[in-house]
């Protein structure tokens, strides 16, 4: 860890972490677009994760998410833990594309789950929240027979506007923006960079070198190693 980078984190009071699947792969959760990613192995993955599939073929949707998107034994890793520790000091906000609940398990205090959370489930008929364990046993609501669904943003669906507003406000207030484990190619998440405080340095920690069309500090490295060395 370069002393200059450590100093950026030490001095910052309003860090925003923009994170993606690369944060959770060290916890054993597959990503989406790499060689062994979820989308690579399933040609129709984007359809299976669409609103159209949910409404037209609910059994197909359920089978796909039940088999591929639930990893209840996964544990947060050092990346989640160090970021969560900074949020509990009221010095950071995490805005994540991940839907795997690991930031909640890590007790992240300021968290925006931009695409929702697989472990928050509700009935599409009555709107009642249902424990995810029940969902994995049966996708029908015991009370009224309605189809249950996870509270995530599917293809063909709009984002939660409150999450968008909170994310934009956090970016505008940031004095350090840190991109971790994401290619920043998925919109509108990638567009959050357009709302950053332009005075805030942007640090990118990623295995793949990124060109974001703006001045960045590129740390092409294993994020687990970086966060293991980071003093918080």
């Amino acid at each position: 860890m370069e002393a200059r980078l450590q100093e950026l984190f030490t001095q910052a009071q309003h860090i925003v972490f923009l994170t993606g699947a690369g944060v959770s792969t060290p916890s054993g959760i597959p990503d989406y677009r790499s060689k062994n990613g979820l989308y690579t192995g399933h040609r129709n993955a984007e359809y299976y994760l669409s609103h159209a599939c949910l409404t037209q073929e609910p059994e197909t949707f359920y089978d796909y998410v039940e088999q591929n998107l639930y990893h209840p034994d996964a544990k947060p890793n050092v990346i989640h833990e160090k970021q969560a520790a900074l949020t509990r000091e009221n010095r950071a906000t995490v805005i994540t594309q991940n839907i795997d609940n690991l930031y909640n398990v890590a007790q992240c205090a300021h968290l925006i789950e931009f695409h929702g959370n697989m472990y928050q489930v509700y009935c599409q008929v009555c709107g009642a929240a249902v424990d995810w364990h029940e969902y994995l046993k049966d996708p029908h609501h015991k009370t009224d027979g309605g189809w249950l669904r996870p509270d995530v943003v599917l293809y063909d669906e709009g984002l939660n506007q409150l999450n968008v507003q909170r994310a934009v406000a956090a970016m505008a207030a940031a004095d350090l923006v840190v991109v971790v484990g994401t290619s920043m190619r998925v919109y509108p998440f990638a567009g959050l960079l357009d709302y950053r405080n332009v005075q805030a340095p942007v640090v990118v920690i990623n295995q793949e070198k990124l060109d974001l069309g703006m001045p960045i500090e590129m740390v092409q490295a294993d994020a687990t190693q970086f966060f293991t060395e980071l003093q918080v």
Side-chain angles (χ1 to χ4, degrees):
M1 169 72 64
E2 289 183 36
R4 182 177 53 82
L5 280 172
Q6 177 64 60
E7 188 66 13
L8 278 178
F9 281 85
T10 302
Q11 294 297 324
Q13 294 300 308
H14 302 285
I15 304 169
V16 172
F17 292 104
L18 295 172
T19 74
V23 168
S24 291
T25 50
S27 294
I29 295 178
D31 68 7
Y32 292 86
R33 291 178 170 82
S34 73
K35 186 171 74 170
N36 298 312
L38 195 59
Y39 286 8
T40 313
H42 298 85
R43 217 175 323 163
N44 296 322
E46 292 191 5
Y47 171 69
Y48 295 147
L49 295 175
S50 70
H51 180 76
C53 184
L54 174 68
T55 54
Q56 296 166 20
E57 301 182 70
E59 297 93 344
T60 300
F61 174 86
Y62 176 72
D63 288 346
Y64 184 81
V65 300
E66 188 267 333
Q67 292 170 26
N68 293 285
L69 293 183
Y70 282 94
H71 304 275
D73 295 331
K75 301 285 190 294
N77 59 60
V78 66
I79 311 171
H80 299 102
E81 289 164 354
K82 289 281 180 81
Q83 292 177 1
L86 285 162
T87 69
R88 292 194 298 272
E89 294 176 6
N90 294 317
R91 292 179 51 218
T93 298
V94 173
I95 309 174
T96 189
Q97 299 170 83
N98 297 342
I99 55 177
D100 53 38
N101 199 49
L102 290 183
Y103 277 113
N104 289 297
V105 178
Q107 299 181 313
C108 186
H110 301 289
L111 174 64
I112 301 168
E113 292 173 307
F114 207 68
H115 295 149
N117 185 323
M118 287 299 300
Y119 293 80
Q120 294 169 1
V121 175
Y122 67 92
C123 174
Q124 295 181 84
V125 171
C126 69
V130 177
D131 187 280
W132 63 269
H133 296 90
E134 294 300 315
Y135 179 56
L136 292 187
K137 292 176 189 170
D138 186 344
H140 301 93
H141 193 193
K142 287 180 180 175
T143 304
D144 55 24
W147 278 93
L148 305 174
R149 64 162 289 176
D151 192 5
V152 294
V153 179
L154 302 175
Y155 290 97
D156 319 326
E157 290 185 331
L159 293 165
N160 178 308
Q161 288 307 300
L162 180 59
N163 280 344
V164 174
Q165 292 164 14
R166 291 174 59 215
V168 167
M171 292 297 293
D175 58 5
L176 175 63
V177 175
V178 186
V179 176
V180 189
T182 172
S183 63
M184 294 301 284
R185 291 184 187 132
V186 174
Y187 283 83
F189 184 84
L192 289 174
L193 283 171
D194 296 338
Y195 297 93
R196 76 193 188 284
N197 169 12
V198 294
Q199 304 301 319
V202 178
V203 176
V204 178
I205 306 155
N206 202 53
Q207 297 270 27
E208 170 194 0
K209 188 174 182 180
L210 302 186
D211 178 5
L212 300 180
M214 63 185 69
I216 62 172
E217 177 82 38
M218 183 70 225
V219 181
Q220 196 169 357
D222 179 349
T224 55
Q225 184 67 35
F226 182 93
F227 281 90
T228 298
E229 296 175 8
L230 181 68
Q231 300 298 310
V232 302

